[in-house]
Amino acid sequence: MERTMTVRDLCALHTQLLDSDIQILENLSTNLPLIADLNKANVFIDCPVREGKHAIVVAEACGHSVKSVYDHPVVGKFAYEAFEPAVFYVLRTGKDMFVNRALTQEGAMVQQSVVPIKGECNRVIAVLIMEKVIHEEPVSFNQFDRQDQQNSLVPEFIEESIFLINNQNRLVYTNPAAINLVSEICLTECVLGESIFDYFPGFADVLASKEDILMKEMNIGKKIIQLKKFHLGNKNSNETFIIIRDLTELRDKERELISKSVAIREIHHRVKNNLQTVASLLRLQMRLGAPEESKPHLLVSLNRVLSISSVYEIILASSQVDHVDLLELIRKIGDMIVHTEGQARQCLRIEYSGELHHSIDSDIGISVALVVNELIHNCVKHAFKEGTEGNITVCLQKDGPELELQVRDDGIGYSPAVKPSLGLDIIRMTVENDLDGEFSVQRIKEGTLASVRFPYKR
């Protein structure tokens, strides 16, 4: 026969409670039958589990003079916040919650009251729960035009706070989220029949509005809420729904993201300015004091710096915080190289084709910029003899999870016997190490085809 697990067993398996805390719960569990008899209800002790996502029932009792809410024992069963929001509210805040509604592990609707159990240093270690069967639904439930009892449970477990008020602005119905909201903001119990203005005086303008449907964002204390109001007026009733969504956490995260976005853009701006400074120094060196034989090498370095700078220029010119459009990046780099290195060749042309509209992370964009710069530079520098016409085609295609970048020219053609250059080394190292891709170059019938394949990561 399987041994029934004790409070200590369950706490040792699922919680991080101290031995002194467990002793408190053991002592309290011995008095649960008396508490259940006095209240004519089911009573439980729930403890938060280690992960903090739900709670576990470690003890239970039922009054002798009432029928149990449950058909089977629930010790060892988990309680989830979506079904018992009051339990988790009390665990987090240490505040009492009375006459709340909850859904049991067996799917029954109950009236629930929850109080905290505290251990050393006044820390909440568990909750004491009392549950009674709800024999009648609140009067307002009948006015939702629901067809069955199952549908009537839906408002109980949504995150938004729901208030139904009559034509005298008095509360007719509140769901658990609404009860929790009143308790948290007003530090008082939400009572049906009371005026909603007793809890939220700022709603006066909203309810005075003649619009049947109204949505408004407003502040209540330290909270930011979205309030929706709609009227249920007809010949049988004249009631108003108020649905409140707590936007405080969302707005805080939005402000945090905006702050981070501003900081990131400022960093991009400074990096771009620094690169432009380096480019200006290289230009100055080319104009003043650089030997003629050094100028081509300085120009290559200049274009590499400007290619990286292009990534930041595109980001700053768009609404994107840290992404760059490949079409704009490739065009910017290609046009720049043909203009600066091939300006003496009026007959050199560059074209772009394929699926070029792909947004990529700026870190990947920098690597792609270097690769595109070297590939197009090689075409301009080595593919065409002085004075000859030439065409360069840049094509980007998406192939499943990968992008393929092809740079093709109709020049003299690539020779594998050519001594490896720094440019090709930069391409290979960047593609393999930074892009986790593959690079190939080959001679074709008319010129050279260089191909780069790498995973497409947005």
Side-chain angles (χ1 to χ4, degrees):
M1 181 175 179
E2 185 177 340
R3 181 176 70 90
T4 302
M5 297 193 75
T6 65
V7 171
R8 183 167 292 274
D9 293 333
L10 289 165
C11 289
L13 278 174
H14 298 284
T15 75
Q16 292 179 314
L17 296 179
L18 303 174
D19 189 76
S20 57
D21 295 332
I22 297 175
Q23 185 63 53
I24 292 172
L25 298 181
E26 285 182 317
N27 294 338
L28 180 59
S29 67
T30 61
N31 294 316
L32 279 191
L34 178 60
I35 298 172
D37 281 335
L38 286 173
N39 290 279
K40 296 182 179 181
N42 286 72
V43 291
F44 309 87
I45 297 175
D46 281 14
C47 295
V49 298
R50 288 190 183 96
E51 297 79 8
K53 295 180 180 178
H54 40 267
I56 187 169
V57 183
V58 298
E60 66 175 341
C62 179
H64 293 300
S65 61
V66 294
K67 185 178 183 299
S68 175
V69 174
Y70 297 84
D71 295 327
H72 305 285
V74 294
V75 169
K77 302 281 187 182
F78 290 112
Y80 299 96
E81 185 168 6
F83 300 139
E84 299 186 57
V87 170
F88 292 84
Y89 175 79
V90 175
L91 283 171
R92 283 193 291 263
T93 66
K95 299 176 182 177
D96 299 333
M97 284 291 291
F98 295 105
V99 196
N100 200 32
R101 282 180 289 274
L103 189 66
T104 70
Q105 286 88 344
E106 296 178 353
M109 179 63 67
V110 295
Q111 184 183 85
Q112 185 184 76
S113 295
V114 187
V115 295
I117 302 171
K118 299 184 178 181
E120 294 182 1
C121 302
N122 208 35
R123 180 173 57 93
V124 177
I125 60 174
V127 290
L128 179 65
I129 305 167
M130 181 188 72
E131 293 180 352
K132 295 182 178 181
V133 176
I134 296 178
H135 297 290
E136 296 180 359
E137 289 185 326
V139 174
S140 60
F141 272 170
N142 298 325
Q143 300 175 27
F144 283 83
D145 294 327
R146 292 185 295 268
Q147 296 180 355
D148 55 60
Q149 176 66 17
Q150 183 178 3
N151 289 339
S152 71
L153 303 182
V154 173
E156 304 293 312
F157 310 114
I158 64 175
E159 294 182 356
E160 286 81 4
S161 303
I162 299 177
F163 298 88
L164 180 64
I165 60 175
N166 60 21
N167 58 357
Q168 296 178 333
N169 297 321
R170 296 192 176 276
L171 296 173
V172 178
Y173 165 76
T174 54
N175 71 338
I179 295 172
N180 292 347
L181 183 69
V182 171
S183 177
E184 186 175 355
I185 293 178
C186 305
L187 303 178
T188 186
E189 183 180 349
C190 183
V191 180
L192 296 181
E194 294 294 323
S195 171
I196 195 169
F197 300 142
D198 292 343
Y199 307 114
F200 306 112
F203 287 5
D205 292 340
V206 174
L207 292 172
S209 172
K210 295 182 180 180
E211 298 182 39
D212 288 334
I213 299 176
L214 179 66
M215 183 168 70
K216 182 179 181 181
E217 189 169 311
M218 58 191 300
N219 295 333
I220 301 180
K222 295 182 179 180
K223 286 188 174 292
I224 302 172
I225 66 164
Q226 180 191 68
L227 183 147
K228 298 177 184 177
K229 182 203 82 168
F230 56 95
H231 190 53
L232 296 179
N234 55 52
K235 64 180 181 181
N236 297 320
S237 68
N238 188 20
E239 297 178 332
T240 301
F241 259 126
I242 292 179
I243 301 177
I244 295 175
R245 181 185 177 196
D246 189 349
L247 300 179
T248 308
E249 185 176 354
L250 177 63
R251 293 292 179 260
D252 287 343
K253 288 182 178 178
E254 287 177 350
R255 282 193 291 269
E256 184 179 344
L257 286 173
I258 291 171
S259 298
K260 288 182 178 179
S261 297
V262 172
I264 290 172
R265 293 187 74 84
E266 178 62 24
I267 291 170
H268 289 334
H269 185 72
R270 293 186 183 187
V271 171
K272 186 207 75 167
N273 287 347
N274 290 339
L275 290 171
Q276 293 288 354
T277 300
V278 174
S280 297
L281 291 172
L282 288 171
R283 289 193 188 98
L284 186 61
Q285 186 67 46
M286 290 171 62
R287 292 188 189 128
L288 303 172
E292 286 299 320
E293 62 271 18
S294 300
K295 289 184 179 180
H297 302 291
L298 290 172
L299 181 59
V300 171
S301 298
L302 173 63
N303 283 337
R304 287 171 183 156
V305 172
L306 291 176
S307 295
I308 297 174
S309 177
S310 297
V311 175
Y312 296 99
E313 288 179 8
I314 292 171
I315 291 173
L316 292 170
S318 70
S319 59
Q320 296 286 341
V321 175
D322 208 25
H323 285 75
V324 62
D325 185 274
L326 271 183
L327 169 62
E328 191 174 355
L329 179 62
I330 291 172
R331 284 185 183 276
K332 192 175 186 68
I333 295 172
D335 292 345
M336 174 192 68
I337 295 172
V338 171
H339 174 72
T340 56
E341 296 194 28
Q343 57 187 341
R345 305 180 186 182
Q346 302 297 327
C347 50
L348 195 61
R349 294 177 295 275
I350 184 167
E351 296 180 353
Y352 310 92
S353 65
E355 301 173 2
L356 291 166
H357 285 288
H358 295 288
S359 178
I360 58 174
D361 185 83
S362 62
D363 290 340
I364 300 174
I366 290 171
S367 300
V368 173
L370 277 173
V371 170
V372 171
N373 175 79
E374 299 300 329
L375 291 174
I376 298 177
H377 167 75
N378 284 343
C379 293
V380 174
K381 188 72 175 177
H382 305 294
F384 309 103
K385 293 180 179 179
E386 191 71 32
T388 60
E389 292 188 0
N391 296 287
I392 302 171
T393 303
V394 182
C395 178
L396 183 69
Q397 295 284 352
K398 189 171 184 294
D399 184 10
E402 293 185 323
L403 287 177
E404 182 177 20
L405 172 67
Q406 291 184 346
V407 178
R408 184 194 307 262
D409 66 66
D410 57 1
I412 60 176
Y414 170 74
S415 174
V418 174
K419 183 181 178 181
S421 65
L422 176 61
L424 287 177
D425 288 341
I426 289 175
I427 294 171
R428 286 196 173 91
M429 288 189 296
T430 303
V431 171
E432 293 174 4
N433 298 331
D434 297 342
L435 297 178
D436 195 24
E438 299 175 350
F439 168 65
S440 65
V441 58
Q442 59 183 317
R443 185 173 187 145
I444 56 176
K445 186 177 180 180
E446 295 181 354
T448 303
L449 173 63
S451 176
V452 174
R453 294 179 66 91
F454 59 95
Y456 178 36
K457 300 176 182 178
R458 287 181 177 273

